[in-house]
Amino acid sequence: MRFEKGHKLSTRRHIVDVASKCMRRDGISATGISAIMGDAGLTKGAFSPHFQSKEVLVREALALALSAQQHRLDENQLNGLDLEGAVRGYLNRAHLEAPADGCPSAALLPEIARQPLSIRQDYEKALRSYVATLAALLPGTDSVEKHRRATAIFGLMVGTLQFARAVPNANEAQQILDGGVEAALQLARTP
């Protein structure tokens, strides 16, 4: 059976998108090829024509999630979002409850640290870009200091979200999110 032009590329993108969501929802190690392909509406046998290995898929899925996160922050910044808006947009109930669509750092950081060097290098490059965008939202002119504070703020945001996701009590989780917002904004004001 012949497929129309672009079908293979379209299918590959669909698999990467599904894998990205599955991995953020369930974790890299816990997400098998069969589950990804099933969620994509394909058979496990359809994996090999698109990817040499799961590592290749992990790299592309992580890159997609990081790129989408950066794109959202860039778009929000263009629309006038300030640092408080960025922090509140990250540390909220919707993000808490939707890890499959959210920040790959909050969902996967311990697993990213165990990935091959090439994946960690890709992650580091995306992290630098995201932190640079956050730094641009901070007051002041010392770029080194702004980068240092933006890195700390992002680390606090990621940790807060992970912490809030770990507790089953919704009220406690909200208090953790609120405390994270307060702490991040305090860091933003402290030169």
Side-chain angles (χ1 to χ4, degrees):
M1 174 162 90
R2 293 187 57 89
F3 293 103
E4 60 186 72
K5 188 174 182 176
H7 174 76
K8 185 171 183 178
L9 181 59
S10 174
T11 301
R12 182 184 180 98
R13 286 182 187 149
H14 177 63
I15 295 168
V16 171
D17 183 52
V18 170
S20 179
K21 290 175 192 263
C22 288
M23 288 176 193
R24 284 180 282 165
R25 182 188 66 220
D26 301 327
I28 295 170
S29 296
T31 303
I33 300 302
S34 293
I36 292 167
M37 298 307 285
D39 283 3
L42 301 165
T43 65
K44 185 177 178 185
F47 177 81
S48 296
H50 296 282
F51 304 96
Q52 292 177 319
S53 65
K54 182 178 177 182
E55 181 181 321
V56 171
L57 178 58
V58 168
R59 188 176 191 174
E60 289 187 33
L62 186 57
L64 176 67
L66 291 165
S67 173
Q69 181 180 24
Q70 181 69 51
H71 179 74
R72 280 189 302 274
L73 184 60
D74 291 342
E75 286 290 313
N76 287 335
Q77 184 183 25
L78 287 174
N79 292 324
L81 183 80
D82 61 3
L83 184 74
E84 182 172 349
V87 169
R88 289 186 186 284
Y90 188 97
L91 293 176
N92 62 49
R93 173 75 52 196
H95 194 191
L96 174 78
E97 294 173 352
D101 297 315
C103 176
S105 297
L108 300 170
L109 209 51
E111 288 191 274
I112 292 169
R114 294 183 195 97
Q115 294 302 306
L117 180 61
S118 63
I119 292 174
R120 293 189 337 241
Q121 288 171 329
D122 289 350
Y123 174 79
E124 182 179 24
K125 182 179 176 185
L127 174 65
R128 273 190 251 117
S129 176
Y130 192 84
V131 167
T133 304
L134 285 178
L137 298 172
L138 288 169
T141 57
D142 184 345
S143 62
V144 172
E145 174 62 20
K146 286 171 59 169
H147 180 3
R148 185 186 68 75
R149 286 185 12 234
T151 301
I153 289 166
F154 185 60
L156 187 141
M157 289 164 46
V158 169
T160 297
L161 191 59
Q162 290 176 322
F163 190 23
R165 283 180 177 161
V167 298
N169 182 293
N171 291 331
E172 182 70 23
Q174 188 62 53
Q175 288 177 4
I176 291 167
L177 291 175
D178 294 343
V181 168
E182 185 179 317
L185 295 178
Q186 182 63 39
L187 270 174
R189 288 188 286 271
T190 307

